[in-house]
């Protein structure tokens, strides 16, 4: 389950507000978890997802499960931590597209992908990914699948 929001079918659009200080102990997505194979969509146009954490597993703030889509058009995903897994901020099994916004200050203390771990499709068409850190490889992104970059700052 997601620490703050679980999407298991349907659509969530975030046009402002803050999801912060949420935690899960043994699962992914402390702020938002999009369940596997639920044909769900999440779009973030503005707002903040910050200071969320997981102690084990992947994707501290956002988990995008298989057959799902998420898009970051604006806002920020920052200062999220993963204490014992991969993906300080985001774990992708589905499709994640970045057209704007900022992903910064995220970290994993034992694992890969300080900001993002990608096992699905990651499209970077804009936005900024900066100042993220991992104890293993991929301070910003650890890619194990399809990564497409056409614009943006990393």
């Amino acid at each position: 389950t997601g620490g703050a929001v679980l999407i298991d079918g349907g659509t969530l659009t975030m046009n402002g507000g803050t999801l912060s200080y949420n935690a899960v102990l043994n699962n992914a997505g402390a702020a938002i978890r999009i369940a596997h194979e639920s044909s769900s969509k999440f779009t973030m146009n503005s707002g903040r997802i910050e200071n969320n954490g997981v102690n084990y597993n992947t994707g501290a703030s956002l988990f995008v499960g298989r057959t799902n889509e998420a898009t970051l058009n604006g806002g920020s995903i920052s200062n999220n931590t993963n204490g014992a897994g991969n993906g300080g901020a985001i774990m992708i099994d589905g499709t994640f597209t970045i057209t704007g916004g900022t992903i910064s200050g995220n970290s994993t203390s034992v694992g890969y992908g300080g900001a993002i771990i990608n096992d699905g499709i990651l499209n970077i068409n804009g936005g900024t990914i900066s100042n993220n850190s991992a104890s293993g490889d991929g301070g910003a992104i650890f890619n194990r699948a399809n990564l497409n970059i056409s614009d943006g700052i990393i």
Side-chain angles (χ1 to χ4, degrees):
T1 61
V5 178
L6 171 65
I7 306 171
D8 193 0
T11 301
L12 171 64
T13 302
M14 186 172 177
N15 291 315
T18 302
L19 292 171
S20 63
Y21 296 102
N22 299 286
V24 292
L25 297 178
N26 201 14
N27 216 332
I32 298 173
R33 179 179 176 87
I34 308 173
H36 280 302
E37 300 171 4
S38 64
S39 299
S40 301
K41 292 184 182 180
F42 169 63
T43 302
M44 184 173 178
N45 295 317
S46 65
R48 298 179 303 183
I49 298 175
E50 62 188 17
N51 300 309
N52 299 285
V54 297
N55 289 327
Y56 181 75
N57 216 316
T58 56
S61 66
L62 175 63
F63 174 80
V64 182
R66 288 183 301 272
T67 75
N68 299 298
E69 298 176 21
T71 303
L72 176 63
N73 294 321
S76 65
I77 300 174
S78 61
N79 302 318
N80 300 284
T81 59
N82 191 329
N86 299 317
I90 301 163
M91 168 64 185
I92 304 162
D93 272 346
T95 301
F96 187 57
T97 301
I98 303 167
T99 63
T102 302
I103 301 171
S104 66
N106 302 286
S107 64
T108 178
S109 56
V110 179
Y112 305 106
I116 299 169
I117 186 156
N118 180 39
D119 285 334
I121 300 169
L122 174 57
N123 301 307
I124 302 174
N125 304 324
T128 301
I129 301 172
S130 65
N131 299 315
N132 300 282
S133 63
S135 62
D137 295 328
I141 301 167
F142 187 77
N143 182 61
R144 297 190 286 204
N146 299 305
L147 173 59
N148 307 297
I149 302 171
S150 66
D151 202 356
I153 299 169
I154 301 174

